[in-house]
């Protein structure tokens, strides 16, 4: 079947690119530790390009699965693949899914480190500006913001 071969190829590409993404995220973690902004910018560009390719391929996989008889409202694609008895595809799907989860965990960790670094930079900036005595409020995302004479607390 052409659809099975196409799905297999898409999943193999996912596994390969997710391994590359894992490597990029590990390098990103090292750059954050070393405060290497220049290398971090290059990695971010590479990561964004890779993520765009992975997202595009996700659409292709769904189209291929639909052509094979999968109905999106019926649940997880992995169950469809498994119930069709496509063991090799199911194993590839699981491998790609495990890699994706690993990438998500690494990305969340890097995001927390980045948030911590941003807070530290903000505090240093406040000290530099002499704004350390200002009161702080929390925004919608839980981030601290200084209250200044320009901060609008309410409007009518």
């Amino acid at each position: 079947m052409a659809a099975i071969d196409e799905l297999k190829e898409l999943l193999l590409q996912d596994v390969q690119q997710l391994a590359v993404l894992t490597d990029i995220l590990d390098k990103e973690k090292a750059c954050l530790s070393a405060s290497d902004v220049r290398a971090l910018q290059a990695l971010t560009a590479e990561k964004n390009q890779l993520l765009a390719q992975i997202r595009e391929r996700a659409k292709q996989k769904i189209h291929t699965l639909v052509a094979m008889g999968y109905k999106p409202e019926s649940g997880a694609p992995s169950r469809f693949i498994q119930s069709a008895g496509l063991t090799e595809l199911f194993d590839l799907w699981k491998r790609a899914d495990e890699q994706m989860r690993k990438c998500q965990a690494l990305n969340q960790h890097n995001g927390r480190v980045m948030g911590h670094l941003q807070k530290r930079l903000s505090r240093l900036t406040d000290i530099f500006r002499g704004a350390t005595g200002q009161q702080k409020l929390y925004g919608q995302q839980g981030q601290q913001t200084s209250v200044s004479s320009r901060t609008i607390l309410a409007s009518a």
Side-chain angles (χ1 to χ4, degrees):
M1 246 189 192
I4 291 173
D5 291 338
E6 182 180 347
L7 186 57
K8 180 180 177 182
E9 183 59 34
L10 292 170
L11 288 168
L12 286 169
Q13 288 174 17
D14 275 353
V15 168
Q16 178 192 15
Q17 283 193 323
L18 288 167
V20 172
L21 183 59
T22 300
D23 186 51
I24 289 171
L25 291 167
D26 283 334
K27 288 177 183 174
E28 184 180 70
K29 182 179 176 183
C31 287
L32 288 169
S33 296
S35 299
D36 188 348
V37 176
R38 192 169 288 137
L40 192 60
Q41 287 174 329
L43 287 171
T44 300
E46 191 177 349
K47 180 174 74 171
N48 288 339
Q49 181 182 17
L50 204 53
L51 287 171
Q53 292 170 359
I54 291 168
R55 279 188 209 103
E56 186 58 38
R57 206 168 28 260
K59 293 175 193 173
Q60 291 173 338
K61 287 186 299 195
I62 293 298
H63 288 298
T64 303
L65 283 164
V66 167
M68 293 169 62
Y70 169 70
K71 293 178 179 33
E73 63 276 0
S74 67
S78 59
R79 280 193 286 168
F80 170 79
I81 293 169
Q82 187 177 29
S83 67
L86 304 169
T87 309
E88 185 181 6
L89 281 180
F90 181 70
D91 290 343
L92 270 173
W93 190 281
K94 279 188 356 188
R95 238 171 85 199
D97 187 58
E98 288 167 7
Q99 288 252 205
M100 180 65 78
R101 291 178 194 280
K102 183 177 180 181
C103 288
Q104 287 172 334
L106 281 168
N107 196 50
Q108 286 174 347
H109 175 269
N110 290 352
R112 284 191 299 272
V113 170
M114 183 73 76
H116 175 73
L117 291 173
Q118 287 174 336
K119 284 181 187 176
R120 190 165 45 171
L121 180 61
S122 177
R123 284 193 298 261
L124 289 172
T125 303
D126 285 349
I127 290 169
F128 180 73
R129 290 184 186 154
T132 57
Q134 291 182 343
Q135 291 182 321
K136 302 281 186 182
L137 292 177
Y138 289 94
Q140 289 178 324
Q141 303 295 325
Q143 76 280 9
Q144 283 188 349
T145 56
S146 296
V147 177
S148 70
S149 58
R150 292 187 224 160
T151 302
I152 297 172
L153 297 176
S155 63

